[in-house]
Amino acid sequence: MVAVRIRRAWASVALTALVVAGAACQPGAREGEDPGADGSASGQQPGTDDPSASPVGDGAATALPDDPSATAIPPGTTIDPAMAVDPPAPFRAPTANPDILIASDASLDPEVITRIAEIDGVAEVLPIGVGQVVVESRVYDLAIVDPGTYRRFVSAEAATNDEIWERVAGGELGVLPAVQRRLPINAEEFVRLGTDGEDPIIHVGAYAPQIPTIELVANAKWGEKLGIPETNALLVSTGTGTPQAVREEVQEAIGSDLAPQMLDIASRRGLDPDVFQTVVPVGTFADAVGTFTYTPTGGGRIEPAASWVREHIVTETVPILGQVTCNRYLMPQLKAALQEIVTTGLADEINPDEYAGCYYPRFIAGSTSLSNHSFGLALDMNVPGNLRGTVGEMDRGVVAIFKKWGFAWGGDWSYTDPMHFELSRIVNPG
């Protein structure tokens, strides 16, 4: 059972609460946390009043509104009119089963969509956009949708709730309820979509069920802003039929470069282990990752495509740490940061024996969400004195140098991870 909650005020006042049964979701824990008894992440509570826990920190390019808690939003008001689209179409019964999801890094060929729609046993298809945003070391699956058509593919209770889809059309974010406790949403219900201080901030409009594997949903204006194509994915419903009955024909229609994700499997036990998965990151990670395909291998591990590994992962010698294995896009900035740390006399502040690695292809514990270590774009240092949830002992001079060279620091996050540095922007050491 999950709550569908609508946000109507800057001060995070819930005016509507519905209990929705049968929502398909995959709750998980923060990286390194044990899941709670209900399957959600333990420890971190959303909506903290501590300003340091806000995703809008020092150096942010976009600040929150002045005293937002003093301003209630009247019904029908759009928080950011520039990000609004037309109001959603009224709900059209019946709902549609989200049975298969096909995702690509580019817009799907309309002829391919037509061929799939004409397969005997396919009842309905819906083009959408999908991409992944990295927030505080975790990869979130984001769908870019037309709220009026997508609503038919979620649970009946959520599909018929007009206010959820009005909020999404108005430029706000829809969030899977299980994600609330791990997504770093601040006290005013804003979250930054990305790792850089210049990445955009969006207001959370509702917590509501989504299709399996999708955690966040936004409208087409946000797709444009984030660089996610509107039609790089396709939802397929087989109505009262069995998705497995059309799987081979769907695979033939899309070709060998893509894989149909069977959502009936995802809703029961996580990602389909029989097919490779496609990740389409946005922001800086898109530049460094490209299209990332992998296959779940069990035990929380994944196996990225060998071609991707050959193109992106390298082992090189860097100052202080010695040999490291990371994404090749990370290496120039890592070398520059560590060399400056040596030059400024801070090398002793990093213990190479306490370095815990960079490239580690895996899911975050207890979930099917990828750690950005899977891309080789993060590293953990001085582990014993910088455990998660603590202030840590990381020298602030070291932190400042890493930030200068394009890294975000986990010590700034709502749930701190002071051992952790990750690529947040591309900097050319020149």
mmCIF file of all heavy atoms in Angstrom, residues 259-284:
data_model
loop_
_atom_site.group_PDB
_atom_site.id
_atom_site.type_symbol
_atom_site.label_atom_id
_atom_site.label_comp_id
_atom_site.label_asym_id
_atom_site.label_seq_id
_atom_site.Cartn_x
_atom_site.Cartn_y
_atom_site.Cartn_z
ATOM 1 N N ALA A 259 16.577 -4.306 -26.430
ATOM 2 C CA ALA A 259 15.996 -5.455 -25.735
ATOM 3 C C ALA A 259 14.681 -5.051 -25.100
ATOM 4 O O ALA A 259 14.603 -4.013 -24.438
ATOM 5 C CB ALA A 259 16.953 -5.976 -24.663
ATOM 6 N N PRO A 260 13.629 -5.848 -25.265
ATOM 7 C CA PRO A 260 12.356 -5.538 -24.605
ATOM 8 C C PRO A 260 12.408 -5.910 -23.124
ATOM 9 O O PRO A 260 12.732 -7.044 -22.777
ATOM 10 C CB PRO A 260 11.348 -6.408 -25.366
ATOM 11 C CG PRO A 260 12.164 -7.568 -25.870
ATOM 12 C CD PRO A 260 13.552 -7.043 -26.111
ATOM 13 N N GLN A 261 12.143 -4.943 -22.266
ATOM 14 C CA GLN A 261 12.110 -5.203 -20.831
ATOM 15 C C GLN A 261 10.702 -5.645 -20.447
ATOM 16 O O GLN A 261 9.735 -4.890 -20.632
ATOM 17 C CB GLN A 261 12.484 -3.940 -20.050
ATOM 18 C CG GLN A 261 12.289 -4.027 -18.540
ATOM 19 C CD GLN A 261 13.231 -5.032 -17.895
ATOM 20 O OE1 GLN A 261 14.370 -5.160 -18.301
ATOM 21 N NE2 GLN A 261 12.756 -5.735 -16.893
ATOM 22 N N MET A 262 10.581 -6.854 -19.927
ATOM 23 C CA MET A 262 9.274 -7.391 -19.568
ATOM 24 C C MET A 262 8.890 -6.849 -18.197
ATOM 25 O O MET A 262 9.440 -7.236 -17.163
ATOM 26 C CB MET A 262 9.306 -8.921 -19.568
ATOM 27 C CG MET A 262 9.912 -9.527 -20.847
ATOM 28 S SD MET A 262 9.127 -8.950 -22.373
ATOM 29 C CE MET A 262 7.581 -9.861 -22.284
ATOM 30 N N LEU A 263 7.931 -5.938 -18.172
ATOM 31 C CA LEU A 263 7.601 -5.232 -16.933
ATOM 32 C C LEU A 263 6.825 -6.097 -15.961
ATOM 33 O O LEU A 263 6.797 -5.803 -14.765
ATOM 34 C CB LEU A 263 6.819 -3.957 -17.253
ATOM 35 C CG LEU A 263 7.580 -2.926 -18.092
ATOM 36 C CD1 LEU A 263 6.736 -1.667 -18.286
ATOM 37 C CD2 LEU A 263 8.920 -2.566 -17.442
ATOM 38 N N ASP A 264 6.187 -7.148 -16.453
ATOM 39 C CA ASP A 264 5.530 -8.052 -15.505
ATOM 40 C C ASP A 264 6.568 -8.749 -14.643
ATOM 41 O O ASP A 264 6.356 -9.003 -13.457
ATOM 42 C CB ASP A 264 4.651 -9.074 -16.240
ATOM 43 C CG ASP A 264 5.447 -9.947 -17.213
ATOM 44 O OD1 ASP A 264 6.430 -9.446 -17.785
ATOM 45 O OD2 ASP A 264 5.062 -11.116 -17.409
ATOM 46 N N ILE A 265 7.747 -9.038 -15.209
ATOM 47 C CA ILE A 265 8.840 -9.606 -14.429
ATOM 48 C C ILE A 265 9.398 -8.560 -13.474
ATOM 49 O O ILE A 265 9.647 -8.824 -12.295
ATOM 50 C CB ILE A 265 9.954 -10.124 -15.362
ATOM 51 C CG1 ILE A 265 9.435 -11.310 -16.183
ATOM 52 C CG2 ILE A 265 11.196 -10.533 -14.575
ATOM 53 C CD1 ILE A 265 10.414 -11.824 -17.217
ATOM 54 N N ALA A 266 9.584 -7.329 -13.980
ATOM 55 C CA ALA A 266 10.145 -6.269 -13.146
ATOM 56 C C ALA A 266 9.272 -5.980 -11.941
ATOM 57 O O ALA A 266 9.766 -5.698 -10.846
ATOM 58 C CB ALA A 266 10.323 -4.998 -13.983
ATOM 59 N N SER A 267 7.948 -6.047 -12.114
ATOM 60 C CA SER A 267 7.059 -5.735 -10.995
ATOM 61 C C SER A 267 7.112 -6.797 -9.906
ATOM 62 O O SER A 267 6.811 -6.532 -8.755
ATOM 63 C CB SER A 267 5.614 -5.580 -11.493
ATOM 64 O OG SER A 267 5.110 -6.813 -11.980
ATOM 65 N N ARG A 268 7.540 -8.032 -10.276
ATOM 66 C CA ARG A 268 7.574 -9.114 -9.293
ATOM 67 C C ARG A 268 8.940 -9.283 -8.643
ATOM 68 O O ARG A 268 9.045 -9.508 -7.451
ATOM 69 C CB ARG A 268 7.174 -10.441 -9.961
ATOM 70 C CG ARG A 268 5.753 -10.496 -10.473
ATOM 71 C CD ARG A 268 5.347 -11.936 -10.770
ATOM 72 N NE ARG A 268 6.255 -12.614 -11.664
ATOM 73 C CZ ARG A 268 6.164 -12.607 -12.977
ATOM 74 N NH1 ARG A 268 5.198 -11.918 -13.553
ATOM 75 N NH2 ARG A 268 7.032 -13.275 -13.730
ATOM 76 N N ARG A 269 10.012 -9.187 -9.445
ATOM 77 C CA ARG A 269 11.316 -9.552 -8.874
ATOM 78 C C ARG A 269 12.468 -8.735 -9.443
ATOM 79 O O ARG A 269 13.612 -9.198 -9.468
ATOM 80 C CB ARG A 269 11.577 -11.042 -9.109
ATOM 81 C CG ARG A 269 11.513 -11.503 -10.559
ATOM 82 C CD ARG A 269 11.743 -13.013 -10.639
ATOM 83 N NE ARG A 269 11.569 -13.539 -11.973
ATOM 84 C CZ ARG A 269 12.535 -13.608 -12.882
ATOM 85 N NH1 ARG A 269 13.737 -13.149 -12.599
ATOM 86 N NH2 ARG A 269 12.292 -14.128 -14.078
ATOM 87 N N GLY A 270 12.212 -7.539 -9.879
ATOM 88 C CA GLY A 270 13.299 -6.705 -10.352
ATOM 89 C C GLY A 270 13.530 -6.851 -11.841
ATOM 90 O O GLY A 270 12.669 -7.317 -12.574
ATOM 91 N N LEU A 271 14.694 -6.445 -12.304
ATOM 92 C CA LEU A 271 14.970 -6.424 -13.730
ATOM 93 C C LEU A 271 14.999 -7.829 -14.323
ATOM 94 O O LEU A 271 15.401 -8.789 -13.674
ATOM 95 C CB LEU A 271 16.314 -5.729 -13.988
ATOM 96 C CG LEU A 271 16.389 -4.263 -13.567
ATOM 97 C CD1 LEU A 271 17.786 -3.726 -13.835
ATOM 98 C CD2 LEU A 271 15.349 -3.431 -14.298
ATOM 99 N N ASP A 272 14.577 -7.898 -15.574
ATOM 100 C CA ASP A 272 14.562 -9.159 -16.297
ATOM 101 C C ASP A 272 16.001 -9.635 -16.496
ATOM 102 O O ASP A 272 16.790 -8.989 -17.196
ATOM 103 C CB ASP A 272 13.885 -8.928 -17.643
ATOM 104 C CG ASP A 272 13.666 -10.208 -18.437
ATOM 105 O OD1 ASP A 272 14.272 -11.231 -18.060
ATOM 106 O OD2 ASP A 272 12.919 -10.167 -19.423
ATOM 107 N N PRO A 273 16.391 -10.766 -15.912
ATOM 108 C CA PRO A 273 17.783 -11.218 -16.020
ATOM 109 C C PRO A 273 18.123 -11.802 -17.385
ATOM 110 O O PRO A 273 19.286 -12.074 -17.665
ATOM 111 C CB PRO A 273 17.883 -12.296 -14.930
ATOM 112 C CG PRO A 273 16.489 -12.843 -14.832
ATOM 113 C CD PRO A 273 15.579 -11.666 -15.079
ATOM 114 N N ASP A 274 17.120 -11.993 -18.242
ATOM 115 C CA ASP A 274 17.357 -12.628 -19.531
ATOM 116 C C ASP A 274 17.704 -11.639 -20.642
ATOM 117 O O ASP A 274 17.974 -12.058 -21.768
ATOM 118 C CB ASP A 274 16.118 -13.435 -19.954
ATOM 119 C CG ASP A 274 15.827 -14.582 -19.000
ATOM 120 O OD1 ASP A 274 16.799 -15.132 -18.445
ATOM 121 O OD2 ASP A 274 14.649 -14.908 -18.803
ATOM 122 N N VAL A 275 17.654 -10.341 -20.361
ATOM 123 C CA VAL A 275 17.946 -9.360 -21.407
ATOM 124 C C VAL A 275 18.885 -8.296 -20.860
ATOM 125 O O VAL A 275 18.950 -8.050 -19.648
ATOM 126 C CB VAL A 275 16.659 -8.668 -21.921
ATOM 127 C CG1 VAL A 275 15.723 -9.683 -22.533
ATOM 128 C CG2 VAL A 275 15.950 -7.908 -20.807
ATOM 129 N N PHE A 276 19.631 -7.647 -21.770
ATOM 130 C CA PHE A 276 20.475 -6.541 -21.345
ATOM 131 C C PHE A 276 19.623 -5.299 -21.151
ATOM 132 O O PHE A 276 18.559 -5.145 -21.743
ATOM 133 C CB PHE A 276 21.606 -6.288 -22.347
ATOM 134 C CG PHE A 276 21.151 -5.904 -23.736
ATOM 135 C CD1 PHE A 276 20.847 -4.595 -24.056
ATOM 136 C CD2 PHE A 276 21.051 -6.868 -24.727
ATOM 137 C CE1 PHE A 276 20.441 -4.244 -25.341
ATOM 138 C CE2 PHE A 276 20.647 -6.531 -26.008
ATOM 139 C CZ PHE A 276 20.340 -5.218 -26.326
ATOM 140 N N GLN A 277 20.080 -4.413 -20.288
ATOM 141 C CA GLN A 277 19.368 -3.173 -19.970
ATOM 142 C C GLN A 277 20.082 -2.005 -20.638
ATOM 143 O O GLN A 277 21.291 -2.026 -20.836
ATOM 144 C CB GLN A 277 19.326 -2.963 -18.455
ATOM 145 C CG GLN A 277 18.885 -4.173 -17.651
ATOM 146 C CD GLN A 277 17.480 -4.612 -17.978
ATOM 147 O OE1 GLN A 277 16.592 -3.767 -18.154
ATOM 148 N NE2 GLN A 277 17.261 -5.909 -18.084
ATOM 149 N N THR A 278 19.312 -0.960 -20.960
ATOM 150 C CA THR A 278 19.872 0.226 -21.592
ATOM 151 C C THR A 278 19.721 1.416 -20.664
ATOM 152 O O THR A 278 18.627 1.689 -20.165
ATOM 153 C CB THR A 278 19.163 0.525 -22.925
ATOM 154 O OG1 THR A 278 19.313 -0.601 -23.790
ATOM 155 C CG2 THR A 278 19.764 1.743 -23.604
ATOM 156 N N VAL A 279 20.814 2.127 -20.416
ATOM 157 C CA VAL A 279 20.815 3.328 -19.591
ATOM 158 C C VAL A 279 21.139 4.516 -20.486
ATOM 159 O O VAL A 279 22.101 4.483 -21.249
ATOM 160 C CB VAL A 279 21.855 3.222 -18.453
ATOM 161 C CG1 VAL A 279 21.958 4.532 -17.676
ATOM 162 C CG2 VAL A 279 21.481 2.080 -17.507
ATOM 163 N N VAL A 280 20.319 5.578 -20.387
ATOM 164 C CA VAL A 280 20.527 6.780 -21.187
ATOM 165 C C VAL A 280 20.718 7.951 -20.225
ATOM 166 O O VAL A 280 19.765 8.642 -19.869
ATOM 167 C CB VAL A 280 19.338 7.036 -22.131
ATOM 168 C CG1 VAL A 280 19.645 8.193 -23.078
ATOM 169 C CG2 VAL A 280 18.994 5.790 -22.921
ATOM 170 N N PRO A 281 21.943 8.181 -19.735
ATOM 171 C CA PRO A 281 22.158 9.256 -18.760
ATOM 172 C C PRO A 281 21.994 10.635 -19.392
ATOM 173 O O PRO A 281 22.073 10.796 -20.614
ATOM 174 C CB PRO A 281 23.615 9.044 -18.306
ATOM 175 C CG PRO A 281 23.989 7.681 -18.798
ATOM 176 C CD PRO A 281 23.165 7.447 -20.017
ATOM 177 N N VAL A 282 21.758 11.637 -18.544
ATOM 178 C CA VAL A 282 21.683 13.020 -19.002
ATOM 179 C C VAL A 282 22.692 13.844 -18.210
ATOM 180 O O VAL A 282 23.226 13.412 -17.194
ATOM 181 C CB VAL A 282 20.264 13.598 -18.831
ATOM 182 C CG1 VAL A 282 19.267 12.811 -19.657
ATOM 183 C CG2 VAL A 282 19.844 13.603 -17.354
ATOM 184 N N GLY A 283 22.966 15.048 -18.673
ATOM 185 C CA GLY A 283 23.910 15.937 -18.001
ATOM 186 C C GLY A 283 25.348 15.529 -18.284
ATOM 187 O O GLY A 283 25.655 14.915 -19.301
ATOM 188 N N THR A 284 26.257 15.886 -17.363
ATOM 189 C CA THR A 284 27.673 15.554 -17.521
ATOM 190 C C THR A 284 27.877 14.061 -17.721
ATOM 191 O O THR A 284 28.739 13.629 -18.485
ATOM 192 C CB THR A 284 28.459 16.033 -16.290
ATOM 193 O OG1 THR A 284 28.441 17.451 -16.273
ATOM 194 C CG2 THR A 284 29.902 15.559 -16.332
#
